[in-house]
Amino acid sequence: MADKTATLTIGDTNLELPMYSPSAGPDVIDITKLYAQGNVFTYDPGFTSTASCDSTITFIDGDKGELLHRGYPIDQLASDSHYLEVCYLLLYGELPSAAQLEDFESRVTNHTMLHEQMMNFFRGFRRDAHPMAVMTGVVGAMSAFYHDSTDISDPWQREVASIRLIAKMPTIAAMAYKYTIGQPFVYPRNDLDYAANFLRMCFAVPAEDYQVNPILSRAMDRIFTLHADHEQNASTSTVRLASSSGANPFACIAAGIACLWGPAHGGANQACLEMLQEIGTPDRIPEYIARAKDKDDPFRLMGFGHRVYKNFDPRAKVMKQSADEVLDLLGIENNPVLQVAKELEAAALADPYFTEKKLFPNVDFYSGIILEAMGFPTSMFTPIFAVSRTVGWISQWKEMIVDPKMKIGRPRQLYMGATLRDYVDIEKR
Ligand code: CMC
């Protein structure tokens, strides 16, 4: 309910627009009746000032550098909780009891296998395909394999689709990887936890035993947790928009994966590590800082800047600490890429260009260093982001489906094209 109004004056007309006060964050002006009452649209490319929905899942205070899931700070969840518990929290709104968590974990664990016929689908791709290309296709194809969970009006089917997606995404990502390196697929094992199972499916081969290193599985779990949700980012908004037409959940999540792939979004983790490797040594940092500042050079410092955070991304803080811990525990001393990352961060934060524009390291700045130390190639970084973010997409999708205000997403435009004119025959043009 609106507790305030905002007055908009257009010519001689004053329009009273309802204003809502959220539980946290700035007030929101409701413009849904603006076109009907004022015959005008609002204009906001990139949605920099527009709330597209109301939500109770995740809150970000970009000035403070705060990220809360259902009210719980991300640093507490990253240190004291684990990924599947955070999945439960995002999906159902509260931390689970021991019995609820056990039941949830067992439901996820029992859905990790893929329909066997889907293996043929993988084999249709070129071996050198990017794993994100394979994932987009295979997840989209799930709607052809799991018909019994595509009716979005049935709460039970929505629940089954949610569990299937969370459970099968690591299997799909690992198989996409195995396919591109020409190794046999490794099937999931139900005695392992979510992160350990994923590592085994990526790195085991049938020819020998593979023991999951608990340090690595803990680090993997933390990376999953840190990426689990991030309110109305580009891929989540893509999932919501796709779903607003009534499309099935597998199609919507495939759309989210496609959006995530871009280098301004989830693709930044791959781009960032490749940039750090290209810089190579600290003496080349000034050259890259200068390029990032040059308006005529399209180069940007990857892993830096964020639409919402105008302060440290709290996920980057945890990730930086994790990078130190993981490299230390793995006995990797003096990692040159980590050294370049730390010196690049320090150089950027000492430069007025970055401080004045409030550009700080984001989640992708340090994650690639950890993933590389674990043995992942850069092409797997964004698929790992997609595995982690699946629960966020699904939680937001579930929230949207039951929202009585849900409508098909249909933005308007500021049309600047030609006005009405007559068709001209080709010989007269
Ligand atoms: N390096 C150099 N300059 C930058 C950078 C950067 N990484 N990011 C922003 N700027 C400048 C930009 O040129 C612009 O300058 P000016 O005002 O003089 O034109 C100003 O800062 C504002 O940038 P913007 O592009 O208008 O900001 P945005 O909110 O539209 O973009 C962003 C946010 C994340 C796309 C952008 O900061 C960027 O491209 N960063 C690098 C890619 C990256 O790390 N992406 C991962 C985001 S976090 C993971 C996720 O959730 O997806």
Side-chain angles (χ1 to χ4, degrees), residues 165-368:
L165 277 157
I166 294 165
K168 294 183 200 308
M169 203 62 87
T171 315
I172 292 170
M175 287 183 173
Y177 172 52
K178 286 298 199 190
Y179 184 73
T180 61
I181 56 169
Q183 288 187 2
F185 297 141
V186 174
Y187 286 73
R189 266 209 6 215
N190 288 1
D191 59 331
L192 296 176
D193 67 33
Y194 195 84
N197 188 38
F198 177 63
L199 290 174
R200 187 177 167 279
M201 287 191 291
C202 288
F203 297 124
V205 286
E208 56 189 49
D209 269 354
Y210 177 83
Q211 294 299 324
V212 182
N213 180 336
I215 297 165
L216 296 190
S217 65
R218 177 68 192 122
M220 188 76 254
D221 189 89
R222 188 173 283 178
I223 287 176
F224 286 153
T225 302
L226 289 172
H227 290 89
D229 190 47
H230 214 227
E231 50 116 311
Q232 310 312 321
N233 56 83
S235 57
T236 302
S237 298
T238 300
V239 170
R240 280 188 180 254
L241 193 57
S243 156
S244 75
S245 73
N248 75 69
F250 305 110
C252 298
I253 301 301
I257 295 173
C259 176
L260 184 77
W261 194 2
H265 192 9
N269 52 14
Q270 171 170 355
C272 181
L273 193 85
E274 287 168 358
M275 174 194 77
L276 295 171
Q277 287 168 336
E278 188 183 300
I279 297 174
T281 47
D283 58 299
R284 296 191 64 202
I285 288 172
E287 178 195 332
Y288 281 81
I289 296 262
R291 282 189 61 196
K293 290 160 56 176
D294 181 355
K295 282 270 154 259
D296 299 325
D297 188 331
F299 173 77
R300 283 188 167 197
L301 221 49
M302 299 314 286
F304 247 78
H306 199 275
R307 169 63 61 78
V308 183
Y309 293 118
K310 299 302 166 202
N311 198 326
F312 259 89
D313 178 341
R315 304 168 300 172
K317 281 190 188 168
V318 182
M319 209 64 95
K320 183 178 182 181
Q321 193 190 334
S322 263
D324 276 329
E325 281 166 17
V326 171
L327 266 55
D328 196 33
L329 288 164
L330 290 177
I332 301 174
E333 282 171 21
N334 305 324
N335 177 286
V337 179
L338 182 61
Q339 193 57 29
V340 169
K342 286 185 173 175
E343 293 197 26
L344 179 61
E345 177 190 337
L349 295 181
D351 188 313
Y353 173 92
F354 293 92
T355 47
E356 279 162 17
K357 292 185 192 298
K358 300 189 175 164
L359 301 170
F360 291 89
N362 61 48
V363 68
D364 294 322
F365 196 68
Y366 285 102
S367 63

